[in-house]
Amino acid sequence: MRTLFSGEAHVAYGQIYVSSEAEGYDLGDHFAGQRAGLCGGAVPGHLFLLTGTHTGPVPLTVELGETEPPLDADAWEDIVEVSFRPVSGETVLAEWGGDAHPLDLAETSYRVRYQCRGLDEAHDTTRVAGDPVRDEYLLRFWPSPPAADRVVKETSHAAAYWHAFAREQPPGPTPEERADAERRAREQAERAELRRERDAWGGRLPSDRLRAVRKKLRRFQGHPKGGLVALDAALVHAIDAAGADDQRALAHWAAHRACAEAGIGGIDWVARALAELDRGEPYSGPLDDPRRLRDAVFADARVPRSPDGAPGLPQAAAFAALVDAAAGDPLEAALNALLAVVVAHDADCAPLLAEVRRTFPATAVAPKERSDDRP
C-alpha cells in the first residue's frame, strides 16, 4: 500500500470529504440508495466521510493499493466499503471549510474501505491539538469495478445510527438519468447563453467573423455606451455581410470623415497619412509609431484643444480612426473606424449612419436572419 495522506485532518460537524469536483456537499444525496452509512459514495466524484469528533483534528491515513488489502478487521470497530471514481484529474481530501490535501488518484474505478474506531467515545466532542486521541480513521483505495456498498463490520452505536440513516434515503438517479439531467441542464445553459448573445447583438446572433473580431472592437468610454452595436446593430450585421472591398472602403471613408469632423484633415502630416491610407501604403511618421503620434499630437498647435489644453475627444477619436482604418482585418477596420467617426461627429449620429447606408449600398439592408439565429 502507498500512503497518500497521513496525519491529523481537521473535521467540522463530524465531516470530511474526498472530492474531485468543486461543488456543494449534501449529506442525503451522498448516501442515497446505500445500505452503509459512514462513507457516502452516491454522488459521482465525491466521498462523504463521517467521524465521531464534531470539531477538531482527527488522525487519518489514506492509502492506495494495487489489489484488495487484507481486511484487518480485529484492529477496527466499524468498516464499510463503497465504490468511487474521480471525475477529474485532481482529487483532494477536503476539510470542512478548510484546507485541501492532494490525493494521487487516477480517473479509474476504485473500491474504497473506510475503517473507524472510537466513534462512540468521540461522539460530538471537540478536540484541539494535543488533546488525547479518541477516534482514528483509515481510508483505503484499490482498483476495482463498481459494486454495491456494504457494511463489513458494525460495532458502535454511532455506526448503527448512520447505517439506519443511509437506508432511509431514497435511491438517487441512475447514471443514465444523471447523464440525461446533466445533458438537459447543459443544453438549457447553452440556449440561455445564445439568447444573451442574441440580445447583445441586436436580436440576432453574430457571425463567426463578428465573434472573431469582438475582442478587438474599440470602446470609447461612455461614447456611446455599448459601442456601435448598441447604436445600430442592423448596420453592424450589414457591414459584416458586405464584401472585404466595401469594408475597406468604408474604413477609409470613416477615417477621412473623422479627421474632417475633428478639424485636423488639413494638417499636412494628417493629410499625408490619409493619402497613404488610400494608396494602401504603410504610414510614414508620426503615424508609424504610437509614441511618435502622441508626441506629434501634443506638440502641434494646429490640433484643436479642449479647455484643459489636451486634444479633445473628437480629435482623439479621429486619430483612433486613422489607426483603426489601417487594420489588417477589413471588418475590424470598418467597424472601429466607423465608431470613431461617430464619436468625432459628437452629435445625433442617425444622419451620419444614414449617410453610410447611402454611400455604401451593400450596408443598406441587413442580411436575412438565419435559422440558427433563433435559439
Side-chain angles (χ1 to χ4, degrees), residues 338-351:
L338 181 56
L339 178 61
V341 73
V342 166
V343 175
H345 187 66
D346 196 27
D348 178 15
C349 65

Side-chain angles (χ1 to χ4, degrees), residues 276-298:
E276 291 166 342
L277 176 68
D278 291 340
R279 292 194 298 266
E281 300 173 357
Y283 286 137
S284 57
L287 266 293
D288 60 341
D289 179 80
R291 184 173 297 178
R292 291 180 64 190
L293 174 59
R294 182 183 184 280
D295 291 343
V297 169
F298 278 85

Side-chain angles (χ1 to χ4, degrees), residues 94-144:
E95 300 178 356
W96 196 95
D99 294 336
H101 309 279
L103 299 178
D104 185 15
L105 294 173
E107 291 183 62
T108 190
S109 179
Y110 293 98
R111 192 64 172 172
V112 182
R113 183 177 294 158
Y114 187 42
Q115 301 172 235
C116 317
R117 55 174 168 250
L119 286 172
D120 286 345
E121 183 181 354
H123 176 65
D124 212 25
T125 60
T126 297
R127 180 176 180 261
V128 298
D131 283 353
V133 171
R134 295 185 176 91
D135 51 341
E136 298 179 72
Y137 304 90
L138 173 63
L139 188 65
R140 283 177 160 171
F141 294 81
W142 67 93
S144 178

Side-chain angles (χ1 to χ4, degrees), residues 243-253 277 324-331 333-334:
D245 290 344
D246 283 320
Q247 293 165 355
R248 186 64 69 189
L250 173 56
H252 292 190
W253 177 90
L277 176 68
D324 292 335
D329 185 321
L331 177 60

Side-chain angles (χ1 to χ4, degrees), residues 248-271:
R248 186 64 69 189
L250 173 56
H252 292 190
W253 177 90
H256 280 271
R257 185 62 177 270
C259 291
E261 293 279 357
I264 63 172
I267 299 174
D268 52 357
W269 54 270
V270 175

Side-chain angles (χ1 to χ4, degrees), residues 21-356:
E21 188 174 38
E23 62 178 42
Y25 305 101
D26 182 86
L27 177 62
D29 288 347
H30 284 77
F31 289 92
Q34 288 194 186
R35 299 286 297 168
L38 300 180
C39 181
V43 174
H46 290 271
L47 294 175
F48 196 117
L49 308 176
L50 297 168
T51 64
T53 296
H54 181 280
T55 305
V58 299
L60 171 64
T61 300
V62 182
E63 296 179 340
L64 172 64
E66 295 181 358
T67 59
E68 180 178 354
L71 189 56
D72 196 21
D74 292 341
W76 300 92
E77 297 172 352
D78 295 286
I79 305 172
V80 297
E81 289 181 1
V82 301
S83 291
F84 172 75
R85 183 185 183 93
V87 295
S88 75
E90 296 183 3
T91 301
V92 297
L93 176 69
E95 300 178 356
W96 196 95
D99 294 336
H101 309 279
L103 299 178
D104 185 15
L105 294 173
E107 291 183 62
T108 190
S109 179
Y110 293 98
R111 192 64 172 172
V112 182
R113 183 177 294 158
Y114 187 42
Q115 301 172 235
C116 317
R117 55 174 168 250
L119 286 172
D120 286 345
E121 183 181 354
H123 176 65
D124 212 25
T125 60
T126 297
R127 180 176 180 261
V128 298
D131 283 353
V133 171
R134 295 185 176 91
D135 51 341
E136 298 179 72
Y137 304 90
L138 173 63
L139 188 65
R140 283 177 160 171
F141 294 81
W142 67 93
S144 178
D149 66 287
R150 70 181 186 124
V151 177
V152 179
K153 183 179 179 181
E154 177 185 329
T155 301
S156 67
H157 294 296
Y161 171 84
W162 287 115
H163 297 331
F165 168 82
R167 292 161 190 169
E168 292 173 354
Q169 306 311 305
T174 65
E176 293 78 13
E177 291 170 337
R178 192 184 299 275
D180 184 62
E182 291 173 354
R183 176 188 57 78
R184 285 187 278 105
R186 187 167 54 250
E187 290 174 351
Q188 183 177 6
E190 290 171 354
R191 287 194 296 270
E193 177 59 30
L194 286 175
R195 285 193 294 270
R196 286 191 292 270
E197 186 180 28
R198 183 184 185 190
D199 291 344
W201 286 89
R204 63 173 297 158
L205 292 175
S207 68
D208 291 340
R209 290 193 68 221
L210 274 177
R211 287 191 178 102
V213 304
R214 173 170 46 193
K215 292 183 179 180
K216 298 178 182 179
L217 296 183
R218 185 182 288 276
R219 293 288 185 270
F220 291 88
Q221 187 173 2
H223 298 278
K225 185 177 181 181
L228 195 60
V229 176
L231 285 176
D232 196 332
L235 180 59
V236 171
H237 289 291
I239 294 171
D240 174 39
D245 290 344
D246 283 320
Q247 293 165 355
R248 186 64 69 189
L250 173 56
H252 292 190
W253 177 90
H256 280 271
R257 185 62 177 270
C259 291
E261 293 279 357
I264 63 172
I267 299 174
D268 52 357
W269 54 270
V270 175
R272 183 174 67 249
L274 289 168
E276 291 166 342
L277 176 68
D278 291 340
R279 292 194 298 266
E281 300 173 357
Y283 286 137
S284 57
L287 266 293
D288 60 341
D289 179 80
R291 184 173 297 178
R292 291 180 64 190
L293 174 59
R294 182 183 184 280
D295 291 343
V297 169
F298 278 85
D300 196 324
R302 294 171 294 177
V303 176
R305 309 282 165 168
S306 60
D308 64 1
L313 179 60
Q315 290 71 44
F319 286 117
L322 271 172
V323 173
D324 292 335
D329 185 321
L331 177 60
E332 176 189 342
L335 294 177
N336 279 335
L338 181 56
L339 178 61
V341 73
V342 166
V343 175
H345 187 66
D346 196 27
D348 178 15
C349 65
L352 179 68
L353 298 181
E355 183 180 347
V356 170

